[in-house]
Amino acid sequence: DTEVTQTPKHLVMGMTNKKSLKCEQHMGHRAMYWYKQKAKKPPELMFVYSYEKLSINESVPSRFSPECPNSSLLNLHLHALQPEDSALYLCASSQVWGFEVYEQYFGPGTRLTVT
Amino acid sequence: QQQVKQSPQSLIVQKGGISIINCAYENTAFDYFPWYQQFPGKGPALLIAIRPDVSEKKEGRFTISFNKSAKQFSLHIMDSQPGDSATYFCAAKGKSGNTGKLIFGQGTTLQVKP
C-alpha cells in the first residue's frame, strides 16, 4: 500500500485565521515533504523532514510552520496567509535507504483558498 | 545545472497512438528519474522511474527511454487511451543524502482524442 492521506480536502480561510493541514502515512517512510502547487505548474518543494527532523526549508515565509510529531504524521500550520498563498498543498513521503531516498509518493492534496 | 527541461508543453494524440514526452537535464549527478501522472484536482501519482545504469524500462503501456550520453530521457505511452489524458511531469534527483529532493520539469498536458 502506497497511500498518503491528507486532511482536509478543501480549506477556505481568511487572512487573519489560523488553520492546520494534516498528512499521514503508514508505510514506514522516514522522509516526508510539503509541496505547494499552483495551477498548470509543477509541485514546488517547501519543506523536507527526515527522521522527524527538518532537513530542508526552501526559504518559505514564516507564516507557514511545519511540524512532524512522529514518523507517520506531518502538519503544516498556517497563519496570516495572503491570497497568493491559495494553491494545492501536497504532502509526500519516501522510504530512506541508507543515505538515499528514491520513490516519492504523493497524497491527494489540500485545496487552499485564502480570502 | 539544476533544471530539467520538458517538452512539449501540450500534446494531442488520437486513441491508439503513441504519446512521446521528452526531458533533458544538465546535472550529471542526477541518479534517479521518475515520471508522475496528475489528473485535475489530484496529487501526482508515480508512474514509472529509471536509474541511469539502465537504458530502457517498460511497465505495461509505459516505457522510459534513457540516453545518458545525451542527458535525455523520454516517456512513451503506447496505445494511448482517453483515460491517459492528464498532466505528466518528469523529474530528476541528485545524490541528496536522506532528503530526496526532486527537480521537476514544467509538465506536459496530454489529451487523447477518442
Side-chain angles (χ1 to χ4, degrees), chain A residues 33 37 58 99-101 104, chain B residues 36 38 93 97 99-101:
Chain A
Y33 311 79
Q37 188 178 29
E58 293 285 272
F99 290 103
E100 280 302 336
V101 298
Q104 197 169 126
Chain B
Y36 285 87
Q38 187 174 25
K93 186 192 77 66
T99 61
K101 180 175 177 177

Side-chain angles (χ1 to χ4, degrees), chain B residues 1-20:
Chain B
Q1 271 279 7
Q2 284 290 87
Q3 278 188 324
V4 176
K5 294 182 180 179
Q6 184 172 345
S7 63
Q9 189 174 352
S10 62
L11 182 60
I12 300 174
V13 172
Q14 290 295 127
K15 179 182 174 182
I18 302 174
S19 304
I20 302 174

Side-chain angles (χ1 to χ4, degrees), chain A residues 36-55:
Chain A
K36 172 183 177 180
Q37 188 178 29
K38 290 280 202 178
K40 300 188 185 300
K41 295 291 187 183
E44 181 184 334
L45 184 66
M46 299 174 72
F47 303 103
V48 180
Y49 274 83
S50 182
Y51 291 95
E52 297 89 69
K53 294 191 188 313
L54 182 66
S55 55

Side-chain angles (χ1 to χ4, degrees), chain A residues 33 35 37 41-43 45 48 50 55-56 58 90 96 99-108, chain B residues 31-32 36 38 41-44 46 51 89 93-102 104-106:
Chain A
Y33 311 79
Y35 288 86
Q37 188 178 29
K41 295 291 187 183
L45 184 66
V48 180
S50 182
S55 55
I56 293 180
E58 293 285 272
L90 296 161
V96 179
F99 290 103
E100 280 302 336
V101 298
Y102 291 101
E103 291 81 7
Q104 197 169 126
Y105 298 97
F106 284 83
Chain B
D31 67 349
Y32 171 71
Y36 285 87
Q38 187 174 25
K42 306 292 185 183
L46 180 61
R51 298 188 194 184
F89 293 100
K93 186 192 77 66
K95 293 190 185 298
S96 56
N98 52 14
T99 61
K101 180 175 177 177
L102 291 174
F104 283 92
Q106 288 301 301

Side-chain angles (χ1 to χ4, degrees), chain B residues 13-19 61 77-82 84 112-114:
Chain B
V13 172
Q14 290 295 127
K15 179 182 174 182
I18 302 174
S19 304
R61 296 184 295 110
I77 305 174
M78 311 301 285
D79 186 27
S80 298
Q81 299 296 312
D84 297 330
V112 181
K113 290 196 167 183

Side-chain angles (χ1 to χ4, degrees), chain A residues 40-109:
Chain A
K40 300 188 185 300
K41 295 291 187 183
E44 181 184 334
L45 184 66
M46 299 174 72
F47 303 103
V48 180
Y49 274 83
S50 182
Y51 291 95
E52 297 89 69
K53 294 191 188 313
L54 182 66
S55 55
I56 293 180
N57 176 343
E58 293 285 272
S59 302
V60 178
S62 60
R63 58 186 183 268
F64 296 91
S65 175
E67 178 196 20
C68 190
N70 61 56
S71 61
S72 300
L73 279 175
L74 188 65
N75 298 320
L76 186 63
H77 303 297
L78 314 172
H79 174 55
L81 295 192
Q82 304 297 309
E84 59 265 28
D85 296 321
S86 298
L88 182 68
Y89 286 84
L90 296 161
C91 174
S93 71
S94 291
Q95 183 56 280
V96 179
W97 305 100
F99 290 103
E100 280 302 336
V101 298
Y102 291 101
E103 291 81 7
Q104 197 169 126
Y105 298 97
F106 284 83

